[in-house]
Amino acid sequence: MLDRFDFQLFLQSVHLSHQETNEDSNTIRQRVTNARNQQKKRYHHPSFLNSTVPSDQLIQLCGITKQQLDQLAVTCFHEKWSNNRTQLKIIRIARTITDLAGTKDITDTAIDEAISWKKHLKHNSQIHPNHTKSP
């Protein structure tokens, strides 16, 4: 069942006195809007985003190299993520990370980050088993 969940996030509360400087909401909103517009332009369709574009079109247009695909396949094999669905999810997330960063092609760093999110999901499902049960 867990392979059907894309990602789960477990957030920690932040104390009100914690004053770290982050992006404000308007900056984040603009970055997301730019990323979504770039995706619609890339896929030549007004409703296709990284999450909804057909997988063959995603692979063709996402800007991932053969070397990155091969490395992803090796990583998925070692992590026992044996289905193509998992690899496609990681590519979709890596492409989105890259779009939010404003970069044209998928970077190795974006792939590593997407893989780390997948590993985080696996780790948290073991730590918080009640969070993964369906109601």
Side-chain angles (χ1 to χ4, degrees):
M1 180 70 161
L2 281 178
D3 70 329
R4 298 295 179 187
F5 293 120
D6 285 330
F7 289 89
Q8 293 178 337
L9 299 176
F10 297 94
L11 304 176
Q12 296 177 351
S13 62
V14 178
H15 194 273
L16 290 177
S17 65
H18 183 73
Q19 295 294 327
E20 184 176 318
T21 306
N22 291 318
E23 292 178 294
D24 64 24
S25 294
N26 289 330
T27 303
I28 294 169
R29 185 178 299 108
Q30 188 58 53
R31 203 159 44 99
V32 170
T33 298
N34 291 344
R36 290 174 65 89
N37 289 338
Q38 182 59 40
Q39 292 169 32
K40 292 174 187 178
K41 182 177 170 184
R42 176 185 309 114
Y43 302 124
H44 308 289
H45 196 283
S47 64
F48 280 173
L49 300 172
N50 293 332
S51 63
T52 58
V53 68
S55 57
D56 57 334
Q57 198 172 353
L58 173 74
I59 297 299
Q60 181 183 16
L61 298 172
C62 74
I64 193 168
T65 67
K66 176 157 178 17
Q67 180 181 359
Q68 289 169 324
L69 283 171
D70 291 344
Q71 184 57 46
L72 178 58
V74 168
T75 300
C76 288
F77 176 79
H78 288 295
E79 293 291 333
K80 296 180 177 41
W81 302 331
S82 58
N83 61 33
N84 287 338
R85 179 180 168 87
T86 299
Q87 290 182 42
L88 284 171
K89 284 182 189 179
I90 291 171
I91 293 168
R92 289 179 193 280
I93 296 300
R95 179 68 257 178
T96 301
I97 292 166
T98 301
D99 288 338
L100 289 170
T103 308
K104 181 182 177 200
D105 293 322
I106 292 179
T107 62
D108 293 341
T109 303
I111 293 172
D112 291 343
E113 184 177 342
I115 289 169
S116 74
W117 281 105
K118 177 65 176 166
K119 287 180 179 180
H120 184 74
L121 169 65
K122 181 179 177 182
H123 175 73
N124 274 332
S125 69
Q126 294 167 351
I127 293 173
H128 306 287
N130 293 334
H131 290 283
T132 60
K133 292 181 182 175
S134 297

